[in-house]
Amino acid sequence: MQLFIDTANVDEIRTAAGWGLLDGVTTNPTHIAKSGRGFEEVLLEIFGIVDGPISVETVSLDAASIVNEGRAIARFHPNAVVKVPVMIEGLKAVRQLSSEGIKTNVTLCFSPVQAFLAAKAGATYISPFLHRKELAGDDGISLVREIRAIYDRYGYRTRILAASIRTVREVLECLRAGADVATMPFDLLESLYKHSMTDAGLAMFLDDWKKVPPTRLFADLAAAR
Ligand code: G3P
C-alpha cells in the first residue's frame, strides 16, 4: 500500500519525504487555504519536494469548467493528478479528462456505488472518506472493503486511495481491506512509526550498552566524523 501525505504544508511534506517512505501527496482547497500562500507558488514547491502523484483539486461545478481546470492542472506538472468531486458534472469531466490521458482522483466518495461510477468514468483513483463516515455514525472501513470487492469482481483498475484517515487503527484496517493508497495528515503519518514499547525497549538496550567495554569498531567511526 502506498503512503501519501494529506496536506499543503511544505515543511510537513519535506520532513515526511525525508523519512524515505512517502509515495505522494493529496491536497484540497482547505489545505491550500491553510497554507496561507498562493496556489501556484505552493504547488510548485510541493512538486519540487515529492516525485510522485500529487492530487490538486478542481473548484468548478460544471463539467466544461472542471475539464478546463483539469487540463490546466495537468499542464502544470507531469505528476499532477486532477482531483474532482463525485457528482454528475464531475464524472462527466473525469470521463473527458481520462480520455485525454489525464490522471484523475475522484474525491468525497461516501458510497460504494459512487465508487463504481467513478471507475466506469475511468478515474485513476477513488477517494473514500473513512473518518468523516465514522463521524456520521457509519462504518468507514467497510466502504473500502466493499469498493475493493466491487473493483476486483468487475476488474476495474481504478486505485483505492483511502482518505480522511485519523487513526493508526484506520491505517491498519486499510491494509487489511486492500486499499492501494492511504493518505493521512503529518501527525498520523509520524505516529505510524511509533510504539511506547519500542521506546522502552530501546532505552533498556542503550542503558545496558553502557556496561559493554568500549569497542574499537565504533571508535573508528567516531574518529572518522
Ligand atoms: O483531502 C481529502 C481528505 O483526506 C480530507 O480528510 O476528513 O481529514 O479533512 P479530512
Side-chain angles (χ1 to χ4, degrees), residues 27-177:
T27 68
N28 62 34
T30 304
H31 295 325
I32 301 292
K34 271 193 202 160
S35 79
R37 302 173 63 191
F39 187 42
E40 285 154 87
E41 178 200 335
V42 74
L43 286 184
L44 204 59
E45 195 165 344
I46 294 171
F47 281 110
I49 300 168
V50 177
D51 184 17
I54 296 174
S55 289
V56 181
E57 195 153 339
T58 57
V59 287
S60 286
L61 295 176
D62 67 281
S65 305
I66 295 169
V67 167
N68 285 336
E69 288 178 6
R71 287 175 183 148
I73 291 167
R75 270 196 307 273
F76 190 77
H77 197 282
N79 284 343
V81 176
V82 179
K83 206 170 174 188
V84 181
V86 56
M87 54 185 180
I88 290 174
E89 292 299 304
L91 293 183
K92 277 165 65 179
V94 167
R95 193 158 183 77
Q96 177 59 36
L97 291 167
S98 62
S99 77
E100 296 175 20
I102 293 173
K103 291 195 171 70
T104 54
N105 173 1
V106 173
T107 189
L108 287 164
C109 170
F110 289 92
S111 89
V113 176
Q114 287 179 320
F116 154 64
L117 297 176
K120 269 187 84 67
T124 315
Y125 298 95
I126 182 72
S127 287
F129 273 37
L130 264 71
H131 199 81
R132 290 195 198 187
K133 208 163 154 64
E134 294 284 339
L135 289 174
D138 294 334
D139 183 354
I141 195 62
S142 75
L143 176 59
V144 175
R145 233 178 271 125
E146 286 183 70
I147 297 171
R148 179 78 283 152
I150 291 165
Y151 284 4
D152 290 351
R153 170 72 178 78
Y154 289 94
Y156 289 123
R157 298 170 65 108
T158 300
R159 294 167 68 75
I160 302 171
L161 194 169
S164 183
I165 298 175
R166 306 273 177 80
T167 68
V168 175
R169 178 80 193 182
E170 286 168 350
V171 176
L172 174 61
E173 294 296 344
C174 285
L175 285 160
R176 288 179 172 153

